[in-house]
Every structure is written in structure tokens, then in C-alpha cells.
Amino acid sequence: MNTEDSPPEPAEHARFAAYLVELEQVADADESELVGGVLADPDRVMAQAAVVRHLDRRAARLWCEPVWEEWAGAMARVVTGRPFLVRRLEEWSLFRAVALRLPWHRDDLLAASDWLQLKAAAGSSPEALQVLAGSGRTKRIRNAARAGLGRRGKG
């Protein structure tokens, strides 16, 4: 809340909030163009933060849908040259492979970020749970995977 004696909200905060609203409401046909426009913002950190939030929101809805490949490919083309965003898309694709029991590699899961390892440890793939229970990056990840294995054993 702004009062007369408090400093105004920084411009990048206002742009970030506006970008999130635009990204949430964008039509599928215009999504790539809008994401590219956001990434052209002079504040790279803020722009990438807005885009990663958008990618996470969209990927969470689309990973199990047939349109995933087309969407992920379009987003990959837009985020090229931005390693964090490229990696997040790759990790969503790995999450999809694990969750849908498509082919994936143990080393890819072990090289993934804590974010993805925790997400996979909360899932139901017995193979991923085994890998993470034994070799997850952190104690939290290993414990979450072991708990997942315990739930599977009782079910």
C-alpha cells in the first residue's frame, strides 16, 4: 500500500505485475509473441522471472495434454539463449516423461535441479522414487522419495 510519504512502487514491479496479467490472459496464437516481448524488457531478471512463472503455470496445465510437444517447442524457440528458461522447459519435459512413464534417463534426473527432483519425489513413478531415494541431491529429496515409496508399498 502506498501512502503519500512512502516511495512509489518501482517501475519494474509494476511492469512485472502487468506482464503476469497479460501472460495469463494471452490467446494461444499470440503467446510466443508476447513471451518474446516480455523477454525484450530491459530488466532481464524481472522479465525472466515473469516468463518462468508463466512457463510453470502453463506447463502445469499442459504436460499431460497432446498439445505439449507443440507448445514446448514454440516456447523453446522463444527462450533460446536464456539458460535458466531453457533448463526449466527441459526439466518440465523430463517431469512429463517421468510422470507419463515415457523413456527417461537416470542421469538426467540426478543432474536436474532441486525443484525438479522434489517434484518427481512427490510423484508416483516407482523408478524415479527409487533413484531419488538413493541418490537425490538433498536429504529432503531423498526423504520425500522414501516417503513416496512407503506410500506405494502400503497402497
Side-chain angles (χ1 to χ4, degrees):
M1 180 165 124
N2 259 357
T3 61
E4 288 185 30
D5 59 343
S6 67
E9 179 178 37
E12 64 273 12
H13 291 196
R15 289 196 319 276
F16 178 79
Y19 287 149
L20 291 181
V21 170
E22 288 179 53
L23 288 164
E24 190 167 322
Q25 297 173 356
V26 69
D28 292 350
D30 301 325
E31 183 178 16
S32 291
E33 183 178 346
L34 179 56
V35 169
V38 171
L39 290 173
D41 190 282
D43 187 332
R44 289 180 55 97
V45 172
M46 178 276 300
Q48 288 191 116
V51 170
V52 79
R53 185 153 329 159
H54 173 69
L55 293 177
D56 285 346
R57 187 176 56 233
R58 288 282 285 163
R61 286 193 305 249
L62 296 177
W63 68 265
C64 59
E65 300 292 330
V67 70
W68 169 264
E69 295 293 338
E70 181 181 341
W71 176 82
M75 289 301 102
R77 287 186 292 278
V78 176
V79 303
T80 297
R82 293 175 175 84
F84 177 75
L85 297 175
V86 169
R87 181 169 182 176
R88 183 57 68 102
L89 271 175
E90 290 171 349
E91 289 193 344
W92 270 108
S93 291
L94 179 56
F95 170 78
R96 179 177 189 267
V98 169
L100 296 178
R101 296 194 166 100
L102 301 172
W104 57 275
H105 299 282
R106 176 184 197 278
D107 291 343
D108 292 338
L109 184 57
L110 292 176
S113 67
D114 290 0
W115 172 83
L116 178 63
Q117 286 191 9
L118 280 168
K119 193 162 186 57
S124 63
S125 166
E127 296 82 11
L129 292 173
Q130 285 286 348
V131 167
L132 294 172
S135 301
R137 181 175 297 110
T138 66
K139 186 176 182 179
R140 180 178 176 201
I141 292 166
R142 292 187 302 274
N143 286 340
R146 287 182 193 120
L149 286 170
R151 283 189 303 275
R152 286 188 57 79
K154 292 177 185 172

